[in-house]
Amino acid sequence: MALPSFRKRRSANASSADGSAKDGAMAEAEAANIKQLTKTRRNVALVSSFCYLLAFIFLVLVEIGNTKGTKVLGEMYFFKLDMADIIPQSVPNLTLMNSIARTLGLHDFYQVGLWNFCEGYEDEGITYCSTPQTLWWFNPVEILKNELFAGASIPLPAQVNEILSLLRIASNIMFGFFLTSTILDFLMIFIAPIVLYSRWWSMPVGILSFIAFILATVAAAIGTAMSLVFKYALTSQSDLNIQVEVGTKMVAFMWVAVGFTFISFVIHSGLCCCCTSRRDVRTGRRGTVNSTTGRADEKSRTGNKLPSFGRNSTRS
């Protein structure tokens, strides 16, 4: 009498094993199909992460530029004041062996970065860089007065004295925006791929991307405008003979970082409505997985209704 029960148990165990294997195969097929359907979205998200990485690298170069007098960092600055042939008001007919600036106690040039300034001589290069400071700003009047010998004076143009307060505010804003944008771009390298799971994530990620883009753009615009204003205000004074050189490398780094951040922002804006996410596949909005064939199907949930016709024919 016990044999039939053993046979039933064996058949039940075999059917459960077959069911488990079938369920496992279907789960693997579904995972593979979801991966296939979301391939475009995944690739686009990776492109945005790569753009954030490039933007972060260029922003780091802006941050560390001019912090040391090395050959590489010393060539990255917002603008450079060439004062080797400056004409002093107190000694108009002075004949010197070296540069006029050196005789007055000044250096031949001063170059400005985000954290500090560097100074040096034409024949020696950079000789000193100030200690990097948070929210630092370049005050030419204070620096020149501290370095001039007693009795020497330089007629600074009125435009320079008038814009010092605005320069301090603009420099502080630029410093904060550059630093915040650098941090956001670094975080977005790892946050961007989260949009693969749902299009709902594209909205907050897109907002963060927009903030990073705006901060980088405003900071780059301030840095560029500040350099051009200094160049115009000082070179327009013919009696001073001060040359101002805008740092092309620093300007290029700033705007390249802005460009890559903008590309990432555009990508995340498009991902709000384009490219299938994993949630779209699982809910059946953008793609489905055929339970019979185990293949991906891009049709929506309002597709063929043959099963319902089958039921109707059975009832009739």
Side-chain angles (χ1 to χ4, degrees), residues 218-232:
V218 173
I222 292 176
T224 304
M226 182 177 62
S227 302
L228 295 177
V229 166
F230 260 98
K231 182 175 182 179
Y232 171 77

Side-chain angles (χ1 to χ4, degrees), residues 123-157:
D123 56 346
E124 299 179 16
I126 297 176
T127 58
Y128 169 77
C129 288
S130 63
T131 303
Q133 297 179 3
T134 305
L135 297 177
W136 178 86
W137 68 287
F138 179 67
N139 188 344
V141 175
E142 181 181 356
I143 293 174
L144 297 182
K145 285 183 177 180
N146 291 336
E147 296 200 345
L148 282 172
F149 288 145
S153 62
I154 296 177
L156 292 173

Side-chain angles (χ1 to χ4, degrees), residues 42-229:
R42 181 179 67 253
N43 293 339
V44 173
L46 292 177
V47 170
S48 68
S49 293
F50 182 69
C51 290
Y52 282 123
L53 175 61
L54 295 178
F56 171 74
I57 292 175
F58 283 103
L59 286 176
V60 168
L61 292 176
V62 174
E63 293 282 345
I64 65 176
N66 201 65
T67 53
K68 293 183 180 180
T70 60
K71 184 177 180 180
V72 177
L73 298 181
E75 295 179 354
M76 295 185 293
Y77 49 83
F78 289 106
F79 59 91
K80 179 179 180 180
L81 305 180
D82 186 356
M83 309 181 68
D85 299 325
I86 190 171
I87 300 177
Q89 184 180 17
S90 58
V91 190
N93 298 319
L94 191 60
T95 302
L96 305 170
M97 295 179 60
N98 295 319
S99 66
I100 297 175
R102 189 178 305 190
T103 305
L104 292 173
L106 301 175
H107 289 73
D108 289 346
F109 64 85
Y110 297 84
Q111 54 189 46
V112 179
L114 191 63
W115 297 78
N116 62 338
F117 77 95
C118 294
E119 59 188 13
Y121 301 104
E122 291 181 347
D123 56 346
E124 299 179 16
I126 297 176
T127 58
Y128 169 77
C129 288
S130 63
T131 303
Q133 297 179 3
T134 305
L135 297 177
W136 178 86
W137 68 287
F138 179 67
N139 188 344
V141 175
E142 181 181 356
I143 293 174
L144 297 182
K145 285 183 177 180
N146 291 336
E147 296 200 345
L148 282 172
F149 288 145
S153 62
I154 296 177
L156 292 173
Q159 292 92 330
V160 175
N161 296 322
E162 292 175 358
I163 65 173
L164 284 180
S165 58
L166 295 177
L167 174 63
R168 178 177 58 84
I169 297 174
S171 298
N172 292 341
I173 294 175
M174 179 182 66
F175 181 91
F177 281 15
F178 265 132
L179 187 60
T180 305
S181 179
T182 304
I183 295 174
L184 280 178
D185 280 345
F186 176 75
L187 295 177
M188 292 297 290
I189 297 173
F190 309 99
I191 295 176
I194 200 173
V195 299
L196 176 64
Y197 296 95
S198 175
R199 283 188 295 161
W200 286 104
W201 283 109
S202 297
M203 181 176 293
V205 173
I207 293 175
L208 290 177
S209 179
F210 179 73
I211 294 174
F213 166 66
I214 291 297
L215 293 178
T217 302
V218 173
I222 292 176
T224 304
M226 182 177 62
S227 302
L228 295 177
V229 166

Side-chain angles (χ1 to χ4, degrees), residues 23-34:
D23 293 340
M26 288 300 301
E28 292 179 0
E30 182 178 0
N33 292 323
I34 291 177

